[in-house]
Amino acid sequence: MQIFNKSPFTPLKLPSRHFDVVVYLGSLIAMLISSTYKFYGWTDPVDVIYGGALITKGIMPYVGFFSHHMPFPYFLAASLHILSNHSLVIFQLLFILGLWFWLMLLYRWIVNEVGRRAASTFVAFVVLGSTLVFSQSMLAETLIAYTTITLLCAFSFRYLKVGYIFRLIDCIAVSTMLAVIILSSLAYVGFVFYVQYYSFFSLRVKHLTQRV
């Protein structure tokens, strides 16, 4: 007598919409849990958060207080201070929600390009590895990592496709993402210069010369 219509070891297959909901909620819960992790040997998040608080009081970096860091994380922290009314709990919650929303946009993009399996693997890698690389903290490297991933997706799924026309709006988008990186840390100046050079001279100028 056949007990099972199919093998009990057959992988569970969720409908696409249900699978997406699992990814959305699972990644959000995991990121919120990871945000409670504290590492007291790393002072950069404190520097960024405190610097942002000083900016809200009119004290500007490099003039009102000393810092060897680039300005973008400070001003982003200042914006979060204003939105959170200087509550560190709400500050951290807004920061995590912003990263989660950014990650989910990348998830949808990757799903549309290569499918849910690769996209969910990517999300799992980012979320589970977040504590190891302190991406739950207000760090310049966190912003740079997410921006760099966005750049890689843009080049992989759009700009390097055969026949794609690299337009002025694409130049602006790449320049904006590179500005976020360079205004977060000067350590990536070589990467920024290379991507900027490749974007404008290998893609944009090549397209313009082909038109001529």
Side-chain angles (χ1 to χ4, degrees):
M1 181 176 66
Q2 187 177 7
I3 299 177
F4 300 103
N5 292 327
K6 58 182 179 178
S7 171
F9 302 104
T10 302
L12 177 64
K13 293 184 179 180
L14 293 175
S16 299
R17 286 182 293 182
H18 295 174
F19 185 84
D20 289 339
V21 171
V22 171
V23 173
Y24 296 154
L25 295 180
S27 59
L28 178 60
I29 293 172
M31 292 180 74
L32 290 174
I33 293 175
S34 71
S35 69
T36 63
Y37 176 76
K38 298 294 186 293
F39 181 71
Y40 296 100
W42 194 265
T43 59
D44 280 8
V46 178
D47 172 76
V48 173
I49 294 172
Y50 184 62
L54 292 177
I55 290 177
T56 62
K57 299 180 184 300
I59 305 174
M60 295 293 109
Y62 321 120
V63 178
F65 64 92
F66 170 78
S67 176
H68 65 283
H69 295 134
M70 294 299 283
F72 182 75
Y74 289 119
F75 285 95
L76 178 60
S79 301
L80 292 177
H81 273 298
I82 295 172
L83 293 174
S84 64
N85 196 24
H86 295 280
S87 168
L88 290 179
V89 174
I90 300 177
F91 179 101
Q92 183 71 0
L93 180 61
L94 290 175
F95 181 67
I96 292 298
L97 288 176
L99 292 180
W100 173 79
F101 184 72
W102 194 346
L103 182 61
M104 291 303 98
L105 289 178
L106 291 174
Y107 168 76
R108 293 305 313 171
W109 195 357
I110 298 174
V111 165
N112 293 334
E113 295 293 339
V114 294
R116 282 181 171 80
R117 178 175 296 181
S120 58
T121 302
F122 160 73
V123 170
F125 179 80
V126 173
V127 171
L128 296 178
S130 61
T131 302
L132 298 177
V133 295
F134 311 111
S135 66
Q136 79 283 3
S137 302
M138 186 69 187
L139 287 170
E141 284 73 17
T142 303
L143 304 175
I144 292 170
Y146 275 75
T147 307
T148 302
I149 292 172
T150 306
L151 269 173
L152 291 175
C153 289
F155 277 94
S156 300
F157 302 146
R158 184 176 298 269
Y159 300 151
L160 296 182
K161 280 187 174 180
V162 176
Y164 182 80
I165 300 176
F166 196 77
R167 299 163 298 174
L168 179 60
I169 188 65
D170 299 317
C171 294
I172 295 174
V174 170
S175 298
T176 301
M177 287 186 280
L178 292 178
V180 170
I181 294 175
I182 200 66
L183 290 175
S184 298
S185 175
L186 280 176
Y188 301 88
V189 62
F191 171 76
V192 170
F193 176 79
Y194 173 78
V195 175
Q196 191 79 59
Y197 175 85
Y198 180 81
S199 300
F200 280 86
F201 291 96
S202 295
L203 295 180
R204 181 62 180 169
V205 174
K206 179 181 178 180
H207 167 63
L208 293 176
T209 54
Q210 288 176 347
R211 290 178 59 184
V212 176

